[in-house]
Amino acid sequence: MDILHREAVYLWYYFSLQLSQIFRYWVLGMVLGSVISVFAKERIHGLFRSLHGKRLGILGIFAASALGIASPLCMYGTIPLAASFSESGMEDDQLAAFMMSSILLNPQLILYSMALGQTALIIRILSSFLCGTAAGLLIRTFYREKGFFNFDGFAAPGSRDTDPNVLVRFLKNLGRNVRATGPMFLLGVALSALFQRYVPSELVANLFGSNRGFGVLMAATIGVPLYACGGGTIPLLQAWLADGMSMGSAAAFMITGPATKITNLGAVKIVLGIQRFVLYWIFTMLFALGTGWIVDLFL
């Protein structure tokens, strides 16, 4: 019993320490996500819709990728929205850039990622933007004369922020945010405590840090099954980086994780079909590996 009590004390120490370090970023992220969703979402999506017909060429892809990051919607909200954009005549290259960057990052996750430090935050924002841009450029190059997406059966999402009282709208949205992210966030903190207590830091350093080329490959690979929620993986990444994970390995994980999350994959497969879904998977893995190796080359 003494051993169990001692282990419980150790685990609680690691849990409370991790929670104290990251809790404020989680709260700020939820608040920002709700503020944008209630007060700025329509404006952001309106800006994206306004790209159509402006003949911006490649510049439109860069703008679409940036607006994808600014959008607060999850992938299951983004696809029906993209379907409505497609119906209004938006080009597939801009849709691809918007959807790809939206999968990887949103304003809420940006604030969560501040807990990882300035360098990791900058890398995450830049790599998400470039990944969306690369997806758009590839679609423009190889699928300009033929459609890439199939949005049949999708309709524009209805807004749940409809209460006439603006404060009530915000509080309801914030409540949905807490319910959606809270359990996975706490699970991530708990897993981080378990890792810190029972997984030697030398193992993490050797796996993700010492051999950087192999570490990036491993991080990109485990991002596929391990990633469940953006907020939930931040405590794990924070602990791994402290234990010796290279920044390139973290960058690879932050790309493959959200891009190949099971719920996102199901939505993406519906609008791509099996052959183009395989291309999406290959693109994601290659971009993650390339990003990780380049980051480790310079850092």
Side-chain angles (χ1 to χ4, degrees):
M1 202 63 179
D2 289 339
I3 295 176
L4 291 176
H5 180 264
R6 184 184 64 191
E7 290 303 311
V9 170
Y10 278 127
L11 288 174
W12 173 249
Y13 167 77
Y14 286 119
F15 181 89
S16 59
L17 179 64
Q18 188 78 27
L19 188 64
S20 67
Q21 291 175 342
I22 201 171
F23 182 76
R24 63 184 181 276
Y25 298 108
W26 177 59
V27 172
L28 286 172
M30 288 190 302
V31 172
L32 177 65
S34 294
V35 167
I36 292 177
S37 185
V38 172
F39 300 106
K41 178 175 65 180
E42 297 304 323
R43 175 62 175 166
I44 292 169
H45 296 160
L47 286 172
F48 179 60
R49 194 183 297 274
S50 70
L51 296 178
H52 175 57
K54 289 190 175 181
R55 298 181 180 180
L56 296 175
I58 292 177
L59 291 179
I61 295 174
F62 285 89
S65 185
L67 289 170
I69 292 174
S71 174
L73 293 180
C74 67
M75 180 52 23
Y76 273 97
T78 298
I79 286 181
L81 182 69
S84 69
F85 290 150
S86 181
E87 285 182 2
S88 66
M90 292 292 294
E91 299 293 335
D92 278 2
D93 55 358
Q94 294 179 356
L95 288 173
F98 180 86
M99 292 170 65
M100 188 75 235
S101 62
S102 181
I103 289 176
L104 297 179
L105 197 58
N106 57 51
Q108 191 167 329
L109 192 50
I110 288 175
L111 271 182
Y112 292 163
S113 301
M114 288 174 62
L116 301 176
Q118 183 178 28
T119 301
L121 176 64
I122 292 173
I123 289 172
R124 182 160 213 177
I125 295 173
L126 185 59
S127 62
S128 298
F129 171 73
L130 292 177
C131 190
T133 301
L137 291 174
L138 286 171
I139 298 303
R140 182 180 181 87
T141 301
F142 296 104
Y143 288 89
R144 191 168 186 176
E145 303 301 326
K146 49 186 175 180
F148 188 76
F149 299 104
N150 179 12
F151 293 112
D152 291 345
F154 283 95
S159 175
R160 292 190 287 177
D161 299 313
T162 56
D163 195 285
N165 186 305
V166 66
L167 179 60
V168 173
R169 285 207 309 272
F170 170 76
L171 291 176
K172 285 183 176 180
N173 191 286
L174 183 60
R176 292 195 298 270
N177 244 339
V178 172
R179 292 192 297 273
T181 65
M184 294 306 300
F185 170 75
L186 292 175
L187 177 61
V189 176
L191 288 175
S192 175
L194 289 170
F195 268 95
Q196 290 181 74
R197 175 58 182 158
Y198 299 115
V199 178
S201 59
E202 295 82 4
L203 179 61
V204 176
N206 290 333
L207 187 61
F208 298 123
S210 299
N211 188 337
R212 294 195 168 192
F214 178 74
V216 170
L217 177 61
M218 285 298 299
T221 303
I222 67 168
V224 176
L226 191 59
Y227 198 99
C229 169
T233 54
I234 295 299
L236 287 173
L237 279 170
Q238 188 181 52
W240 290 342
L241 285 168
D243 285 341
M245 184 184 211
S246 75
M247 193 58 69
S249 295
F253 181 89
M254 289 187 290
I255 293 170
T256 61
T260 59
K261 187 171 70 171
I262 296 300
T263 52
N264 284 346
L265 286 180
V268 171
K269 184 178 180 297
I270 293 173
V271 299
L272 294 185
I274 187 62
Q275 291 183 335
R276 291 170 185 175
F277 174 75
V278 172
L279 291 177
Y280 165 83
W281 190 298
I282 293 173
F283 164 76
T284 298
M285 294 300 295
L286 290 178
F287 189 90
L289 291 172
T291 299
W293 288 332
I294 290 171
V295 167
D296 276 347
L297 187 64
F298 290 98
L299 293 180

